[in-house]
Amino acid sequence: MTDRHHLLVHGGTFAAVGDRGDISGVRGTGSPDGLFVRDGRHLSRWQLTVDGAVPEVLSPVSGGDAARCVLVPRGGRDEPPSCTLFREQAVGDSSFVELLRVTSNRPVPTTVRLALTVDADFADQFELRSDHRTYAKAGAVRRRQVLDDGVEFTYRRGEWRSVTSVTADPAPDGVEETGTGARRLVWALELPPHGSAALTLRVMARPHGEKRALRVPSSPSALTEKLLAHEAQFMEGVAFPTGWPELAAACARGLADLAALQVPATGPDGEDLRVPAAGAPWFLTLLGRDALLTSLFALPYLPGPAAATLLALSAAQATETGRASVAQPGKIVHEVRHGELAHFQQVPYGRYYGSVDATPLFLVLLGTYVEQTGDTELARRLEPHARAAVGWMLDHGGLTSRGYLVYRADEGGLANQNWKDSPGAICWADGTRPTGPVTAAGAQGYAYDALRRTAWTARTVWGDETYAALLEQAAADLRDRFQRDFWMPEHSFPALALDGRGHQVDALASDAGHLLWSGLLDKEYGEVVGRRLLEPDFFSGWGVRTLAAGQPAYHPLSYHRGSVWPHDNALIALGLARYGLHDEARAVANGMVDAATATGHRLPEVLAGHGRDTHAEPVPYPHACVRESRSAAAPLALLTAVGGV
């Protein structure tokens, strides 16, 4: 996101506001603008004027759990502003609250005319992305109803119904039409000499299917106190490293973000859960891969998210084949959406299974969770789901027929279905894209680890020695095949992937570090790979690049061809530690912690690949999620990899 937008997040609700606290509702910018709940925009305009003009920014919105700014009417040196406006905004569960205080700067009584233009267009998030797609909405109807203390917006399309209510205390003097569908709430405030007046504005969003009794908090400060209490409860009992204060600060900041990113989900028996959303703004929803990795990173310190994620993904596990959704029996869901376009199947993401690696990662998390917590009850409860996931890997996934987990580009969804899922992410060193079914290296590591961990669970919890032996043999065979087919002797490095004809896709990529994390490589190969990842073409000084510099395909501002991803580096650090490369692991951790320290202790989704030797601060990636669960949990993984001293 650019610096024109500031993000407020709580659970499945977020608001993106500008420097003066306004929402303009402009489409096609590539950044969200508005109040969003469950993939729908419930406020598309929220624009304040003073005496008929847009006020100037004296102090722009700053970051934090609340948005605060100071505004003044336009004036000059010879005619100072008549008043000062103090805005404070916060979001809650399906709600948005603003406290607006107006203070007179004059020694005589003053009338200040305020107007707030509000609208709710109920646009689906997929309509607002900059991919130039349009979606038909036959029969859609929007209505506006004036209330005693505000206005209510309603949207209907068939059985779909969404509502946004805007109320004010004190009530507006009037609600005016604008000719655009928006409504303008107006007040004439009579201020005594140097006196003040306050308005409290409350927005309640009720998305389609919402059945809970919702209540808007009384004020931004009350809401902020509630959010801070939630953060404190979420991270209760976590011990931060005392010998490395910068890492401790990054862990604390990450846990606070994870607390805000917990979104509702449902378990196999209909139980209510909270799971890590992938990230805000575009992915404030359950993504299988993201939730699994986030939960793995946090598991040694917070086992709760892992248990909730396993239950939620079990409930969404595919039981039949679906062409549009790329579903196959036993497959773990990649993405869950709740918006209008998903509801009417105009996008395939209601439940979308276009991921080759969520299924093995599900098994990795289950085995790791049981091993670390001793919660054998959950392992027994999820035994049918785990066996179904193994069945998918062996059958539909390709382990039995092709020897590897394989995916094919999905024309209606994702071309690449591993963690590097942008269209050109899997490529040769010269940038050429592979054709046919793709065998991504990292996914084979996850599959190997999944087979081994599930074998352990089968033997120690399920009491099935025969099944355990079968999985162990499958893992050993996979390891032998991989090192034969993927290893590039001329580079002393594994290929990024195999193409449809089994040819090595020869780009040198950070995915090799994931093979260390999963333990797929022999020790000799693993040590060579680990040291190679710390060479200057890979290691930027902040972290390991997704693609080594110097290759024609490399670009420091490409999403997956040269940028630096914190979660990628967290996996690499864990892998380096696994192979005994502790100095290298600490170098990665140092770079990541320094990057976090330079950005307010928060690691973004992704950084540009520009080197530390050419720029003394990490260069932002222009379209990164501001809050991303895997990045938020990455400092915890670094703590696991290298400790806090």
Side-chain angles (χ1 to χ4, degrees), residues 256-573:
D257 283 347
L258 282 180
L261 288 169
Q262 300 299 299
V263 295
T266 304
D269 297 326
E271 64 268 46
D272 292 331
L273 304 167
R274 290 274 173 170
V275 297
W282 292 122
F283 298 99
L284 199 61
T285 190
L286 174 62
L287 267 65
R289 178 193 304 121
D290 299 62
L292 288 162
L293 289 173
T294 298
S295 299
L296 277 162
F297 292 166
L299 178 57
Y301 315 95
L302 288 174
T309 294
L310 289 165
L311 288 167
L313 292 177
S314 296
Q317 187 176 29
T319 57
E320 57 188 26
T321 299
R323 183 176 179 182
S325 63
V326 205
Q328 295 164 330
K331 202 173 186 182
I332 296 299
V333 72
H334 169 63
E335 184 171 354
V336 177
R337 289 289 181 176
H338 305 281
E340 175 191 358
L341 296 181
H343 176 83
F344 288 105
Q345 299 182 353
Q346 292 176 275
V347 296
Y349 303 111
R351 281 191 179 180
Y352 180 66
Y353 295 84
S355 166
V356 74
D357 49 14
T359 306
L361 286 171
F362 171 83
L363 295 167
V364 171
L365 178 60
L366 177 60
T368 309
Y369 172 83
V370 176
E371 183 179 1
Q372 292 193 13
T373 67
D375 186 359
T376 57
E377 181 181 348
L378 185 65
R380 292 189 182 94
R381 181 182 176 188
L382 299 185
E383 180 180 353
H385 299 279
R387 287 179 181 267
V390 171
W392 177 83
M393 289 201 306
L394 295 174
D395 299 333
H396 297 284
L399 276 183
T400 299
S401 61
R402 303 183 67 97
Y404 298 108
L405 291 184
V406 176
Y407 67 83
R408 293 166 177 79
D410 174 24
E411 292 183 3
L414 295 173
N416 284 310
Q417 296 174 24
N418 63 324
W419 87 263
K420 290 178 175 174
D421 57 5
S422 58
I426 304 300
C427 63
W428 269 270
D430 65 2
T432 304
R433 302 182 189 183
T435 58
V438 174
T439 305
Q444 314 317 314
Y446 306 158
Y448 171 77
D449 200 15
L451 292 168
R452 292 180 65 254
R453 291 187 183 277
T454 309
W456 177 86
T457 304
R459 179 175 288 118
T460 60
V461 181
W462 304 336
D464 192 336
E465 176 62 35
T466 301
Y467 190 57
L470 183 152
L471 298 184
E472 286 174 338
Q473 186 60 53
D477 292 344
L478 173 59
R479 184 172 188 169
D480 291 342
R481 283 193 303 274
F482 184 90
Q483 296 189 151
R484 179 192 70 217
D485 296 340
F486 277 78
W487 189 255
M488 300 185 294
E490 67 275 22
H491 297 293
S492 296
F493 207 77
L496 173 58
L498 304 180
D499 71 2
R501 294 181 293 175
H503 295 164
Q504 293 177 343
V505 179
D506 65 354
L508 304 184
S510 63
D511 302 58
H514 298 217
L515 304 176
L516 304 182
W517 175 63
S518 61
L520 183 58
L521 297 177
D522 287 345
K523 183 173 177 58
E524 179 184 353
Y525 285 177
E527 290 176 350
V528 170
V529 168
R531 294 189 177 100
R532 179 69 181 85
L533 290 170
L534 270 295
E535 292 294 323
D537 58 346
F538 261 122
F539 189 63
S540 73
W542 307 111
V544 176
R545 298 180 176 99
T546 47
L547 214 62
Q551 301 174 93
Y554 168 77
H555 192 303
L557 290 171
S558 169
Y559 199 48
H560 289 123
R561 286 190 179 186
S563 54
V564 173
W565 287 67
H567 94 271
D568 186 28
N569 278 264
L571 289 172
I572 291 169

Side-chain angles (χ1 to χ4, degrees), residues 99-103 114 169-170 187 189 191 196-201:
L99 175 63
L100 175 60
R101 290 187 295 112
V102 186
T103 299
L114 297 181
D169 181 18
W187 296 262
L189 301 181
L191 302 181
S196 297
L199 299 175
T200 301
L201 302 151

Side-chain angles (χ1 to χ4, degrees), residues 58-219:
L58 200 59
S59 176
V61 166
S62 56
D65 294 308
R68 298 178 179 87
C69 64
V70 182
L71 311 174
V72 292
R74 296 186 182 276
R77 182 178 299 176
D78 297 329
E79 187 180 351
S82 60
C83 62
T84 306
L85 298 93
F86 302 86
R87 300 183 86 171
E88 182 180 2
Q89 302 164 327
V91 299
D93 191 5
S94 297
S95 61
F96 175 84
V97 188
E98 173 170 337
L99 175 63
L100 175 60
R101 290 187 295 112
V102 186
T103 299
S104 172
N105 298 325
R106 291 177 173 172
V108 297
T110 303
T111 299
V112 177
R113 292 175 172 80
L114 297 181
L116 184 69
T117 301
V118 299
D119 199 5
D121 65 359
F122 300 99
D124 190 288
Q125 273 201 25
F126 285 94
E127 297 179 84
L128 302 175
R129 299 188 184 186
S130 54
D131 56 7
H132 309 294
R133 298 185 186 182
T134 57
Y135 301 90
K137 292 186 171 185
V141 177
R142 291 176 59 202
R143 290 191 171 89
R144 301 92 178 158
Q145 179 182 354
V146 176
L147 308 174
D148 291 341
D149 54 356
V151 62
E152 182 172 271
F153 301 90
T154 304
Y155 176 84
R156 283 185 180 275
R157 179 186 171 197
E159 72 274 16
W160 184 271
R161 184 175 186 271
S162 298
V163 179
T164 299
S165 301
V166 179
T167 58
D169 181 18
D173 298 326
V175 178
E176 302 173 347
E177 295 191 14
T178 63
T180 64
R183 295 295 185 266
R184 184 180 296 113
L185 282 58
V186 296
W187 296 262
L189 301 181
E190 303 292 340
L191 302 181
H194 296 294
S196 297
L199 299 175
T200 301
L201 302 151
R202 299 184 180 92
V203 181
M204 171 57 69
R206 189 171 292 279
H208 175 74
E210 179 61 78
K211 296 180 174 61
R212 296 173 298 164
L214 300 173
R215 187 179 68 85
V216 183
S218 59
S219 67

